[in-house]
Amino acid sequence: KSPMCDQISMTLGTTDLLLGWHLAGKAVWVNPKHAALMVARHKTSLPGGFLGNEEAVTVAKHETYVNALAVRKDGMVASGDMHGIVKVWKAGEAASILRKKDYCVYSLAWLKDGTLAAGLHSKVELWKDGRCVNTLKVMYDCCTLCALPDGSFLSGANEGEIKHWRDGKCVRELSGHTSVVHSLIRLKNGKLASCADDETIKIWDLEKGKCLHTLEGHTYGVRALAELPDGRIASASSDDTIKLWR
């Protein structure tokens, strides 16, 4: 059965909160206006309500826009900004600088063995024990990274490029998108979902490297994906809508 668009759930009206993750009963957010990371008890999902929450505190400060966050299972958080700086920290502890000023950091992901993957311009850097241990070549800007349970990971970049990396080598490329890939997520059924500026979402069989479905309905680029507990996929687009797919 081909996935269908269930509904348009809302119209986006703010860009104040860019990214968010749950961490030890709290919510971790990027607020690009203040270029800081925020932690607060999750009282409301409304952006205006969150920004006005008196429990919100700044826990790591960057000097420019924060583009990427990655949260490890043990509570370690990595944050990357437009100047190429990556900081690592835990809530309640001082942040330390892992990567110094260089290229813009577009994406971050913690791998199974504790390695931090950083998506940059034309490359992915792998960091472990405080140093860069490998550099992998990608097409222009690496806009998204997706860690997999077996320790491998995926990168998404310009011109529809999706690469599957294992042990520092590209073992597979997934061809189908025609422009910048913005998000990659592994679904609970083991399949992969991707979205891009070509206005489409694709569902993949990663083992076979085959596209199973192409979901169409957005009228501008698709920027982000998330899987709901009931298995539906939510997609956020530059057309000012979030769509739910089943």
Side-chain angles (χ1 to χ4, degrees):
K1 180 181 177 180
S2 298
M4 302 290 289
C5 182
D6 193 26
Q7 67 182 58
I8 300 175
S9 63
M10 66 176 290
T11 299
L12 302 179
T14 179
T15 57
D16 285 347
L17 298 182
L18 181 64
L19 300 168
W21 284 263
H22 290 293
L23 172 63
K26 298 184 178 181
V28 183
W29 300 92
V30 171
N31 179 349
K33 283 187 176 180
H34 299 95
L37 302 177
M38 312 292 287
V39 173
R41 299 189 184 283
H42 191 62
K43 287 186 172 180
T44 175
S45 60
L46 297 176
F50 177 80
L51 291 178
N53 190 332
E54 62 184 6
E55 295 186 54
V57 294
T58 300
V59 292
K61 189 76 169 67
H62 286 257
E63 298 303 319
T64 186
Y65 293 155
V66 179
N67 289 331
L69 270 180
V71 180
R72 204 165 63 186
K73 287 184 178 180
D74 65 355
M76 183 67 72
V77 182
S79 54
D81 66 30
M82 285 184 64
H83 288 167
I85 292 176
V86 175
K87 294 187 176 185
V88 292
W89 49 276
K90 283 189 176 182
E93 299 179 9
S96 61
I97 296 178
L98 177 66
R99 187 181 191 277
K100 296 183 179 180
K101 189 176 293 188
D102 190 1
Y103 298 105
C104 176
V105 179
Y106 294 102
S107 54
L108 293 167
W110 290 105
L111 307 185
K112 184 179 180 180
D113 66 354
T115 297
L116 180 67
L120 308 162
H121 176 68
S122 300
K123 63 182 178 179
V124 176
E125 291 181 350
L126 300 181
W127 289 78
K128 192 168 187 180
D129 299 325
R131 64 188 184 92
C132 182
V133 296
N134 205 347
T135 301
L136 313 175
K137 177 70 174 177
V138 298
M139 179 76 72
Y140 303 121
D141 301 333
C142 181
C143 295
T144 183
L145 294 164
C146 177
L148 299 175
D150 64 0
S152 64
F153 72 96
L154 297 136
S155 62
N158 292 57
E159 299 187 15
E161 180 188 83
I162 300 175
K163 288 186 174 182
H164 184 190
W165 302 91
R166 180 178 287 113
D167 299 325
K169 296 181 180 180
C170 179
V171 296
R172 181 177 288 106
E173 289 195 44
L174 304 180
S175 300
H177 284 297
T178 58
S179 59
V180 182
V181 178
H182 285 294
S183 183
L184 296 165
I185 61 169
R186 181 181 182 272
L187 304 176
K188 289 180 288 187
N189 62 10
K191 301 298 190 290
L192 175 74
S194 63
C195 67
D197 263 353
D198 59 13
E199 304 174 8
T200 69
I201 301 150
K202 293 184 181 292
I203 310 298
W204 306 84
D205 183 321
L206 187 56
E207 292 184 1
K208 296 180 180 179
K210 179 181 178 181
C211 179
L212 303 176
H213 304 292
T214 297
L215 313 183
E216 298 178 309
H218 284 293
T219 56
Y220 285 95
V222 188
R223 307 286 297 189
L225 297 172
E227 185 177 20
L228 279 62
D230 62 7
R232 288 181 298 173
I233 297 171
S235 58
S237 167
S238 296
D239 64 11
D240 295 337
T241 67
I242 295 174
K243 294 182 183 292
L244 299 180
W245 306 84
R246 55 180 170 84

